[in-house]
Amino acid sequence: MSSRPLSVEALETYLRCPRRYAFAHVDGVRHPTAESNSSDRVDLVRRAICDGLRTGELECDSLAEAMLERLATLWSEHDERFHSLAQRRFERRVLEATVRAYVEAVGTTHAAGIDELRSTSTVGELIGPALSLSSTVSIPADEAAASRSVTLESSVDYVVGDGASLVGVRFVPTADSLGLLRYRSDWEGDVAELFSDHFDPDDSTFEPGPVGTLLETAAVLDGLRGLCDRLGLEGRTCRYVLIPLADRSRNSVNWVSETVETSVDPIDLTDVFLDHHTFGMTHEHRNETIEQRLASVVDDIVSERREPAGGWDQIETNSCPDCAYAVCCPRYLSREVGFDG
């Protein structure tokens, strides 16, 4: 039996709160803060970079020029409200600095990798933004239900060849949600312990950001393996890289000369995801622990289990304060509203 497709965003929302998932992804309740100005600006840079890569330019200056020209066009159509013209000019300079930093950090390398892929395979799109990937999660049969297969949808903004690997790259606003994953390069140790503790009902650990990212990595890598098959690149391993484009802590502003400089730091999630024991058996970037837990979480979602395994204490402490759906959540209201008598 097949269930409706799920997105990796829905998985992360479910980890934060099953009721928030129901409001956002089942009932379709929308709220006005769903999209931020920062996300909108990242989308402009994402589109400018992808369109620049699509030109086939390989030299640093010409590649940057193509991206900046496209950004200028997109910015002229951008109708975000600013406090002043000075703020609008400043925000544009930040985006232009981000494009230049991307080109300097990885842009020309990735452009060459895409060019190499184009010469190897002529089937399929390599540049998005938001290239759709899909993978299948199999849920074994049990006494209560027959076996099911669920399609898990994810996306990358482009794919690039890197030696014997196919790399999926996705642009994100910041790396804040990654938590410990930003500072570790191995699964064994802190990351494996955090992942296990999050699902332990007797432990107080509550880390839906990094845990959701690890589940997302499993889904993306599986989707990339399917893409490899379609491109005729079956012998390649797959890797997953995030590139933050709105990390204000990296900005350096000279208010006298009105210039902005910044840097871009790609984050390869593949190593921190990789279980070397599983890799030794499969010769693929896999993690059996995460993939088994992914199937379990997907099973909970499609079975419409709305109660977390470990109770509500951690959800109420960590998720309720910033939840836009709290005002329509019966559980939250029953805790917050009382009557004298």
Side-chain angles (χ1 to χ4, degrees):
M1 181 176 68
S2 179
S3 300
R4 61 183 177 82
L6 290 174
S7 67
V8 292
E9 291 81 8
L11 288 180
E12 198 270 347
T13 303
Y14 186 86
L15 292 175
R16 290 189 181 278
C17 174
R19 292 188 185 275
R20 185 186 295 195
Y21 160 80
F23 284 128
H25 297 280
V26 178
D27 301 329
V29 179
R30 298 179 63 86
H31 57 87
T33 58
E35 298 294 334
S36 67
N37 290 333
S38 176
S39 295
D40 289 342
R41 293 174 206 151
V42 167
D43 187 56
L44 295 181
V45 179
R46 171 189 287 112
R47 292 161 61 191
I49 289 175
C50 287
D51 288 345
L53 290 172
R54 198 173 283 111
T55 64
E57 297 287 356
L58 300 179
E59 296 298 323
C60 181
D61 290 343
S62 56
L63 182 61
E65 182 179 358
M67 293 178 181
L68 290 171
E69 286 180 356
R70 180 58 177 148
L71 178 63
T73 300
L74 294 170
W75 186 254
S76 67
E77 301 167 353
H78 185 56
D79 61 357
E80 179 182 346
R81 297 182 65 181
F82 294 94
H83 295 300
S84 63
L85 288 176
Q87 185 194 7
R88 182 178 177 87
R89 287 193 295 268
F90 170 75
E91 294 297 346
R92 175 173 176 171
R93 286 194 290 270
V94 170
L95 299 187
E96 291 172 341
T98 302
V99 167
R100 295 189 187 96
Y102 163 82
V103 172
E104 182 178 346
V106 295
T108 53
T109 301
H110 285 187
I114 292 170
D115 187 63
E116 180 265 329
L117 278 184
R118 283 173 171 154
S119 67
T120 303
S121 174
T122 59
V123 180
E125 184 58 73
L126 304 176
I127 305 171
L131 286 176
S132 296
L133 301 174
S134 66
S135 57
T136 300
V137 177
S138 298
I139 303 172
D142 56 27
E143 296 180 358
S147 61
R148 289 166 291 181
S149 61
V150 179
T151 299
L152 196 56
E153 298 176 336
S154 57
S155 67
V156 292
D157 288 307
Y158 62 87
V159 293
V160 56
D162 181 13
S165 295
L166 181 74
V167 183
V169 178
R170 186 166 77 90
F171 297 117
V172 294
T174 71
D176 293 346
S177 66
L178 299 184
L180 188 67
L181 303 185
R182 298 178 65 180
Y183 312 107
R184 298 293 186 272
S185 57
D186 293 299
W187 161 256
E188 287 79 8
D190 291 344
V191 177
E193 183 178 351
L194 177 144
F195 187 83
S196 175
D197 289 347
H198 175 87
F199 293 103
D200 184 351
D202 298 322
D203 195 282
S204 61
T205 300
F206 185 77
E207 292 289 350
V211 169
T213 298
L214 290 169
L215 298 181
E216 173 189 322
T217 302
V220 170
L221 289 176
D222 197 44
L224 289 172
R225 285 189 282 269
L227 180 60
C228 277
D229 293 341
R230 295 193 296 276
L231 294 176
L233 303 172
E234 295 86 348
R236 300 208 183 195
T237 56
C238 298
R239 304 186 68 84
Y240 182 38
V241 172
L242 297 184
I243 301 182
L245 294 178
D247 187 349
R248 295 278 170 151
S249 67
R250 293 182 170 274
N251 294 351
S252 176
V253 181
N254 187 321
W255 297 106
V256 176
S257 61
E258 296 187 338
T259 57
V260 179
E261 294 183 0
T262 191
S263 61
V264 168
D265 185 19
I267 301 169
D268 191 329
L269 293 169
T270 320
D271 290 334
V272 72
F273 166 86
L274 178 63
D275 173 3
H276 289 283
H277 175 69
T278 306
F279 179 77
M281 295 187 295
T282 65
H283 301 293
E284 292 181 333
H285 294 109
R286 307 193 79 115
N287 187 311
E288 186 175 352
T289 300
I290 295 177
E291 290 172 353
Q292 288 177 346
R293 181 59 68 174
L294 175 62
S296 176
V297 173
V298 169
D299 186 19
D300 287 343
I301 292 176
V302 299
S303 300
E304 299 186 355
R305 299 187 181 106
R306 298 292 181 256
E307 296 294 324
W312 283 91
D313 289 347
Q314 292 300 319
I315 288 177
E316 289 176 341
T317 300
N318 295 278
S319 294
C320 287
D322 67 350
C323 181
Y325 301 99
V327 294
C328 53
C329 177
R331 184 175 185 92
Y332 176 81
L333 293 177
S334 67
R335 179 168 63 86
E336 294 295 313
V337 178
F339 298 94
D340 294 332

